[in-house]
mmCIF file of all heavy atoms in Angstrom:
data_model
loop_
_atom_site.group_PDB
_atom_site.id
_atom_site.type_symbol
_atom_site.label_atom_id
_atom_site.label_comp_id
_atom_site.label_asym_id
_atom_site.label_seq_id
_atom_site.Cartn_x
_atom_site.Cartn_y
_atom_site.Cartn_z
ATOM 1 N N VAL R 155 4.680 -3.746 36.516
ATOM 2 C CA VAL R 155 4.285 -5.096 36.860
ATOM 3 C C VAL R 155 5.093 -5.530 38.106
ATOM 4 O O VAL R 155 4.486 -6.032 39.155
ATOM 5 C CB VAL R 155 4.529 -6.186 35.705
ATOM 6 C CG1 VAL R 155 4.395 -7.598 36.164
ATOM 7 C CG2 VAL R 155 3.618 -5.810 34.523
ATOM 8 N N GLU R 156 6.367 -5.235 38.229
ATOM 9 C CA GLU R 156 7.157 -5.733 39.382
ATOM 10 C C GLU R 156 6.765 -5.147 40.719
ATOM 11 O O GLU R 156 6.368 -5.919 41.573
ATOM 12 C CB GLU R 156 8.703 -5.336 39.148
ATOM 13 C CG GLU R 156 9.392 -6.488 38.441
ATOM 14 C CD GLU R 156 10.839 -6.150 38.229
ATOM 15 O OE1 GLU R 156 11.493 -5.477 39.093
ATOM 16 O OE2 GLU R 156 11.268 -6.548 37.093
ATOM 17 N N PRO R 157 6.646 -3.755 40.831
ATOM 18 C CA PRO R 157 6.063 -3.325 42.107
ATOM 19 C C PRO R 157 4.590 -3.571 42.436
ATOM 20 O O PRO R 157 4.326 -3.875 43.554
ATOM 21 C CB PRO R 157 6.258 -1.703 41.931
ATOM 22 C CG PRO R 157 6.524 -1.470 40.526
ATOM 23 C CD PRO R 157 7.101 -2.693 39.818
ATOM 24 N N LEU R 158 3.785 -3.733 41.377
ATOM 25 C CA LEU R 158 2.472 -4.289 41.600
ATOM 26 C C LEU R 158 2.467 -5.676 42.154
ATOM 27 O O LEU R 158 1.652 -5.990 43.067
ATOM 28 C CB LEU R 158 1.679 -4.189 40.313
ATOM 29 C CG LEU R 158 1.170 -2.799 39.817
ATOM 30 C CD1 LEU R 158 0.478 -2.835 38.464
ATOM 31 C CD2 LEU R 158 0.280 -2.074 40.818
ATOM 32 N N ARG R 159 3.298 -6.499 41.625
ATOM 33 C CA ARG R 159 3.406 -7.850 42.256
ATOM 34 C C ARG R 159 3.753 -7.892 43.723
ATOM 35 O O ARG R 159 3.262 -8.621 44.505
ATOM 36 C CB ARG R 159 4.385 -8.716 41.441
ATOM 37 C CG ARG R 159 3.816 -9.197 40.088
ATOM 38 C CD ARG R 159 4.962 -10.083 39.382
ATOM 39 N NE ARG R 159 4.540 -10.642 38.102
ATOM 40 C CZ ARG R 159 5.210 -10.927 37.110
ATOM 41 N NH1 ARG R 159 6.533 -10.826 37.266
ATOM 42 N NH2 ARG R 159 4.684 -11.480 36.076
ATOM 43 N N ALA R 160 4.730 -6.890 43.982
ATOM 44 C CA ALA R 160 5.091 -6.762 45.376
ATOM 45 C C ALA R 160 3.963 -6.446 46.301
ATOM 46 O O ALA R 160 3.906 -6.600 47.473
ATOM 47 C CB ALA R 160 6.252 -5.718 45.545
ATOM 48 N N MET R 161 2.881 -5.720 45.656
ATOM 49 C CA MET R 161 1.680 -5.403 46.401
ATOM 50 C C MET R 161 0.740 -6.532 46.455
ATOM 51 O O MET R 161 -0.328 -6.451 47.072
ATOM 52 C CB MET R 161 1.071 -4.264 45.754
ATOM 53 C CG MET R 161 1.741 -2.907 45.810
ATOM 54 S SD MET R 161 1.021 -1.524 44.926
ATOM 55 C CE MET R 161 -0.202 -1.005 46.111
ATOM 56 N N GLY R 162 1.059 -7.590 45.799
ATOM 57 C CA GLY R 162 0.187 -8.809 45.779
ATOM 58 C C GLY R 162 -0.567 -9.049 44.454
ATOM 59 O O GLY R 162 -1.312 -9.894 44.318
ATOM 60 N N ALA R 163 -0.232 -8.210 43.381
ATOM 61 C CA ALA R 163 -0.977 -8.270 42.116
ATOM 62 C C ALA R 163 -0.660 -9.573 41.452
ATOM 63 O O ALA R 163 0.533 -10.062 41.459
ATOM 64 C CB ALA R 163 -0.634 -7.156 41.257
ATOM 65 N N GLN R 164 -1.662 -10.196 40.794
ATOM 66 C CA GLN R 164 -1.486 -11.295 39.908
ATOM 67 C C GLN R 164 -1.400 -10.925 38.498
ATOM 68 O O GLN R 164 -2.460 -10.722 37.897
ATOM 69 C CB GLN R 164 -2.605 -12.338 40.153
ATOM 70 C CG GLN R 164 -2.445 -12.919 41.588
ATOM 71 C CD GLN R 164 -3.609 -13.996 41.835
ATOM 72 O OE1 GLN R 164 -4.167 -14.447 41.015
ATOM 73 N NE2 GLN R 164 -3.864 -14.227 43.065
ATOM 74 N N VAL R 165 -0.226 -10.698 37.971
ATOM 75 C CA VAL R 165 -0.051 -10.295 36.532
ATOM 76 C C VAL R 165 0.889 -11.241 35.873
ATOM 77 O O VAL R 165 1.940 -11.542 36.465
ATOM 78 C CB VAL R 165 0.460 -8.802 36.489
ATOM 79 C CG1 VAL R 165 0.333 -8.253 35.092
ATOM 80 C CG2 VAL R 165 -0.197 -7.843 37.557
ATOM 81 N N ASP R 166 0.663 -11.434 34.547
ATOM 82 C CA ASP R 166 1.623 -12.165 33.796
ATOM 83 C C ASP R 166 1.511 -11.667 32.426
ATOM 84 O O ASP R 166 0.610 -10.879 32.105
ATOM 85 C CB ASP R 166 1.328 -13.747 33.755
ATOM 86 C CG ASP R 166 2.563 -14.524 33.694
ATOM 87 O OD1 ASP R 166 3.583 -13.907 33.239
ATOM 88 O OD2 ASP R 166 2.545 -15.773 33.898
ATOM 89 N N GLY R 167 2.472 -12.023 31.592
ATOM 90 C CA GLY R 167 2.519 -11.575 30.279
ATOM 91 C C GLY R 167 3.717 -12.076 29.524
ATOM 92 O O GLY R 167 4.464 -12.932 29.998
ATOM 93 N N ARG R 168 3.915 -11.494 28.289
ATOM 94 C CA ARG R 168 5.067 -12.011 27.526
ATOM 95 C C ARG R 168 6.392 -11.675 28.298
ATOM 96 O O ARG R 168 6.399 -10.749 29.031
ATOM 97 C CB ARG R 168 5.102 -11.262 26.205
ATOM 98 C CG ARG R 168 4.082 -11.819 25.259
ATOM 99 C CD ARG R 168 4.382 -11.289 23.769
ATOM 100 N NE ARG R 168 4.477 -9.955 23.707
ATOM 101 C CZ ARG R 168 5.442 -9.328 23.000
ATOM 102 N NH1 ARG R 168 6.344 -9.934 22.311
ATOM 103 N NH2 ARG R 168 5.395 -7.979 22.970
ATOM 104 N N GLU R 169 7.375 -12.412 28.089
ATOM 105 C CA GLU R 169 8.621 -12.277 28.729
ATOM 106 C C GLU R 169 8.528 -12.115 30.281
ATOM 107 O O GLU R 169 9.041 -11.290 30.921
ATOM 108 C CB GLU R 169 9.444 -11.056 28.141
ATOM 109 C CG GLU R 169 9.685 -11.199 26.725
ATOM 110 C CD GLU R 169 10.295 -9.897 26.143
ATOM 111 O OE1 GLU R 169 11.035 -9.186 26.869
ATOM 112 O OE2 GLU R 169 10.085 -9.609 24.905
ATOM 113 N N GLY R 170 7.611 -13.021 30.851
ATOM 114 C CA GLY R 170 7.479 -13.055 32.279
ATOM 115 C C GLY R 170 6.746 -11.760 32.826
ATOM 116 O O GLY R 170 6.874 -11.504 33.994
ATOM 117 N N GLY R 171 6.011 -11.093 31.913
ATOM 118 C CA GLY R 171 5.264 -9.926 32.406
ATOM 119 C C GLY R 171 5.978 -8.615 32.043
ATOM 120 O O GLY R 171 5.591 -7.485 32.492
ATOM 121 N N LYS R 172 6.995 -8.765 31.202
ATOM 122 C CA LYS R 172 7.714 -7.437 30.874
ATOM 123 C C LYS R 172 7.143 -6.707 29.770
ATOM 124 O O LYS R 172 7.258 -5.572 29.465
ATOM 125 C CB LYS R 172 9.275 -7.743 30.527
ATOM 126 C CG LYS R 172 10.028 -8.098 31.713
ATOM 127 C CD LYS R 172 11.528 -7.999 31.426
ATOM 128 C CE LYS R 172 12.314 -8.170 32.528
ATOM 129 N NZ LYS R 172 12.416 -9.561 33.128
ATOM 130 N N ARG R 173 6.329 -7.501 28.898
ATOM 131 C CA ARG R 173 5.652 -6.852 27.694
ATOM 132 C C ARG R 173 4.241 -7.344 27.531
ATOM 133 O O ARG R 173 3.914 -8.498 27.987
ATOM 134 C CB ARG R 173 6.337 -7.247 26.384
ATOM 135 C CG ARG R 173 7.812 -7.165 26.541
ATOM 136 C CD ARG R 173 8.520 -6.248 25.517
ATOM 137 N NE ARG R 173 9.894 -6.359 25.848
ATOM 138 C CZ ARG R 173 10.732 -5.394 26.267
ATOM 139 N NH1 ARG R 173 10.297 -4.166 26.369
ATOM 140 N NH2 ARG R 173 11.939 -5.483 26.731
ATOM 141 N N ALA R 174 3.449 -6.467 26.944
ATOM 142 C CA ALA R 174 2.038 -6.837 26.621
ATOM 143 C C ALA R 174 2.067 -7.810 25.434
ATOM 144 O O ALA R 174 3.006 -7.783 24.689
ATOM 145 C CB ALA R 174 1.297 -5.559 26.248
ATOM 146 N N PRO R 175 1.018 -8.586 25.305
ATOM 147 C CA PRO R 175 -0.228 -8.669 26.149
ATOM 148 C C PRO R 175 0.025 -9.131 27.528
ATOM 149 O O PRO R 175 0.925 -9.983 27.767
ATOM 150 C CB PRO R 175 -1.077 -9.763 25.377
ATOM 151 C CG PRO R 175 -0.551 -9.850 23.984
ATOM 152 C CD PRO R 175 0.895 -9.488 24.031
ATOM 153 N N LEU R 176 -0.693 -8.560 28.414
ATOM 154 C CA LEU R 176 -0.583 -8.835 29.877
ATOM 155 C C LEU R 176 -1.955 -9.425 30.313
ATOM 156 O O LEU R 176 -3.058 -8.895 29.913
ATOM 157 C CB LEU R 176 -0.245 -7.567 30.619
ATOM 158 C CG LEU R 176 1.037 -6.873 30.383
ATOM 159 C CD1 LEU R 176 0.974 -5.498 31.006
ATOM 160 C CD2 LEU R 176 2.178 -7.728 30.876
ATOM 161 N N GLY R 177 -1.909 -10.414 31.207
ATOM 162 C CA GLY R 177 -3.167 -10.980 31.830
ATOM 163 C C GLY R 177 -3.088 -10.508 33.322
ATOM 164 O O GLY R 177 -2.048 -10.583 33.888
ATOM 165 N N VAL R 178 -4.230 -9.908 33.836
ATOM 166 C CA VAL R 178 -4.253 -9.627 35.282
ATOM 167 C C VAL R 178 -5.514 -10.135 35.870
ATOM 168 O O VAL R 178 -6.590 -10.144 35.305
ATOM 169 C CB VAL R 178 -4.161 -8.046 35.387
ATOM 170 C CG1 VAL R 178 -5.075 -7.305 34.579
ATOM 171 C CG2 VAL R 178 -4.361 -7.557 36.801
ATOM 172 N N ARG R 179 -5.292 -10.732 37.013
ATOM 173 C CA ARG R 179 -6.486 -11.189 37.819
ATOM 174 C C ARG R 179 -6.486 -10.408 39.060
ATOM 175 O O ARG R 179 -5.493 -10.511 39.842
ATOM 176 C CB ARG R 179 -6.508 -12.744 38.074
ATOM 177 C CG ARG R 179 -7.661 -13.203 38.843
ATOM 178 C CD ARG R 179 -7.869 -14.670 39.021
ATOM 179 N NE ARG R 179 -8.043 -15.325 37.714
ATOM 180 C CZ ARG R 179 -9.281 -15.406 37.079
ATOM 181 N NH1 ARG R 179 -10.348 -14.818 37.655
ATOM 182 N NH2 ARG R 179 -9.465 -16.048 35.977
ATOM 183 N N GLY R 180 -7.505 -9.644 39.380
ATOM 184 C CA GLY R 180 -7.522 -8.769 40.501
ATOM 185 C C GLY R 180 -7.369 -9.568 41.768
ATOM 186 O O GLY R 180 -7.921 -10.679 41.812
ATOM 187 N N ALA R 181 -6.691 -9.027 42.785
ATOM 188 C CA ALA R 181 -6.282 -9.829 43.934
ATOM 189 C C ALA R 181 -6.316 -8.786 45.077
ATOM 190 O O ALA R 181 -6.195 -7.581 44.907
ATOM 191 C CB ALA R 181 -4.983 -10.533 43.775
ATOM 192 N N PRO R 182 -6.357 -9.344 46.387
ATOM 193 C CA PRO R 182 -6.210 -8.440 47.499
ATOM 194 C C PRO R 182 -4.743 -7.893 47.457
ATOM 195 O O PRO R 182 -3.770 -8.553 47.265
ATOM 196 C CB PRO R 182 -6.338 -9.366 48.679
ATOM 197 C CG PRO R 182 -6.864 -10.654 48.186
ATOM 198 C CD PRO R 182 -6.486 -10.664 46.723
ATOM 199 N N LEU R 183 -4.680 -6.481 47.711
ATOM 200 C CA LEU R 183 -3.340 -5.822 47.594
ATOM 201 C C LEU R 183 -3.072 -5.319 48.973
ATOM 202 O O LEU R 183 -3.883 -5.044 49.775
ATOM 203 C CB LEU R 183 -3.411 -4.681 46.634
ATOM 204 C CG LEU R 183 -3.781 -4.959 45.165
ATOM 205 C CD1 LEU R 183 -3.779 -3.660 44.412
ATOM 206 C CD2 LEU R 183 -2.900 -5.990 44.557
ATOM 207 N N ARG R 184 -1.673 -5.100 49.284
ATOM 208 C CA ARG R 184 -1.256 -4.480 50.438
ATOM 209 C C ARG R 184 -0.361 -3.378 50.041
ATOM 210 O O ARG R 184 0.432 -3.506 49.047
ATOM 211 C CB ARG R 184 -0.609 -5.502 51.401
ATOM 212 C CG ARG R 184 0.570 -6.239 50.720
ATOM 213 C CD ARG R 184 1.042 -7.399 51.598
ATOM 214 N NE ARG R 184 2.117 -8.072 50.712
ATOM 215 C CZ ARG R 184 1.802 -8.969 49.837
ATOM 216 N NH1 ARG R 184 0.509 -9.489 49.622
ATOM 217 N NH2 ARG R 184 2.755 -9.545 49.021
ATOM 218 N N GLY R 185 -0.284 -2.312 50.712
ATOM 219 C CA GLY R 185 0.549 -1.137 50.469
ATOM 220 C C GLY R 185 2.022 -1.502 50.609
ATOM 221 O O GLY R 185 2.326 -2.343 51.408
ATOM 222 N N ILE R 186 2.928 -0.860 49.793
ATOM 223 C CA ILE R 186 4.243 -0.963 49.864
ATOM 224 C C ILE R 186 4.881 0.439 49.957
ATOM 225 O O ILE R 186 4.189 1.403 49.610
ATOM 226 C CB ILE R 186 4.909 -1.800 48.754
ATOM 227 C CG1 ILE R 186 4.513 -1.138 47.376
ATOM 228 C CG2 ILE R 186 4.561 -3.206 48.820
ATOM 229 C CD1 ILE R 186 5.373 -1.677 46.183
ATOM 230 N N ARG R 187 6.223 0.430 50.259
ATOM 231 C CA ARG R 187 6.975 1.720 50.059
ATOM 232 C C ARG R 187 7.863 1.439 48.884
ATOM 233 O O ARG R 187 8.538 0.404 48.861
ATOM 234 C CB ARG R 187 7.773 1.946 51.308
ATOM 235 C CG ARG R 187 7.051 2.275 52.431
ATOM 236 C CD ARG R 187 7.799 2.386 53.723
ATOM 237 N NE ARG R 187 8.671 3.604 53.562
ATOM 238 C CZ ARG R 187 9.321 4.212 54.588
ATOM 239 N NH1 ARG R 187 9.170 3.660 55.816
ATOM 240 N NH2 ARG R 187 10.105 5.226 54.380
ATOM 241 N N TYR R 188 7.900 2.268 47.926
ATOM 242 C CA TYR R 188 8.605 2.060 46.712
ATOM 243 C C TYR R 188 9.322 3.291 46.208
ATOM 244 O O TYR R 188 8.776 4.430 46.194
ATOM 245 C CB TYR R 188 7.641 1.600 45.616
ATOM 246 C CG TYR R 188 8.352 0.988 44.395
ATOM 247 C CD1 TYR R 188 8.949 -0.190 44.412
ATOM 248 C CD2 TYR R 188 8.310 1.764 43.167
ATOM 249 C CE1 TYR R 188 9.602 -0.754 43.250
ATOM 250 C CE2 TYR R 188 8.892 1.226 42.045
ATOM 251 C CZ TYR R 188 9.572 0.040 42.136
ATOM 252 O OH TYR R 188 10.215 -0.503 40.962
ATOM 253 N N THR R 189 10.609 3.074 45.872
ATOM 254 C CA THR R 189 11.311 4.201 45.273
ATOM 255 C C THR R 189 11.464 4.040 43.815
ATOM 256 O O THR R 189 11.969 2.925 43.452
ATOM 257 C CB THR R 189 12.757 4.272 45.865
ATOM 258 O OG1 THR R 189 12.628 4.439 47.341
ATOM 259 C CG2 THR R 189 13.548 5.501 45.467
ATOM 260 N N LEU R 190 11.057 4.999 43.007
ATOM 261 C CA LEU R 190 11.043 4.865 41.606
ATOM 262 C C LEU R 190 12.518 4.649 41.079
ATOM 263 O O LEU R 190 13.324 5.581 41.311
ATOM 264 C CB LEU R 190 10.387 6.034 40.927
ATOM 265 C CG LEU R 190 8.923 6.313 41.143
ATOM 266 C CD1 LEU R 190 8.500 7.587 40.471
ATOM 267 C CD2 LEU R 190 8.046 5.079 40.720
ATOM 268 N N PRO R 191 12.734 3.567 40.313
ATOM 269 C CA PRO R 191 14.121 3.473 39.756
ATOM 270 C C PRO R 191 14.393 4.278 38.551
ATOM 271 O O PRO R 191 15.478 4.654 38.234
ATOM 272 C CB PRO R 191 14.255 2.033 39.474
ATOM 273 C CG PRO R 191 12.811 1.470 39.394
ATOM 274 C CD PRO R 191 11.929 2.413 40.143
ATOM 275 N N VAL R 192 13.237 4.686 37.888
ATOM 276 C CA VAL R 192 13.282 5.598 36.690
ATOM 277 C C VAL R 192 12.290 6.611 36.934
ATOM 278 O O VAL R 192 11.277 6.437 37.588
ATOM 279 C CB VAL R 192 12.935 4.935 35.380
ATOM 280 C CG1 VAL R 192 14.081 4.059 34.896
ATOM 281 C CG2 VAL R 192 11.563 4.084 35.528
ATOM 282 N N PRO R 193 12.638 7.916 36.542
ATOM 283 C CA PRO R 193 11.653 9.002 36.708
ATOM 284 C C PRO R 193 10.481 8.734 35.804
ATOM 285 O O PRO R 193 10.576 8.978 34.546
ATOM 286 C CB PRO R 193 12.400 10.244 36.354
ATOM 287 C CG PRO R 193 13.598 9.764 35.515
ATOM 288 C CD PRO R 193 13.847 8.375 35.790
#
Side-chain angles (χ1 to χ4, degrees):
V155 169
E156 270 175 41
L158 286 174
R159 280 181 180 154
M161 294 176 78
Q164 293 180 16
V165 192
D166 208 346
R168 284 195 305 137
E169 298 176 31
K172 289 199 173 67
R173 318 238 175 241
L176 297 166
V178 50
R179 180 173 294 282
L183 302 181
R184 56 190 175 276
I186 54 165
R187 295 174 68 160
Y188 189 72
T189 303
L190 294 180
V192 284

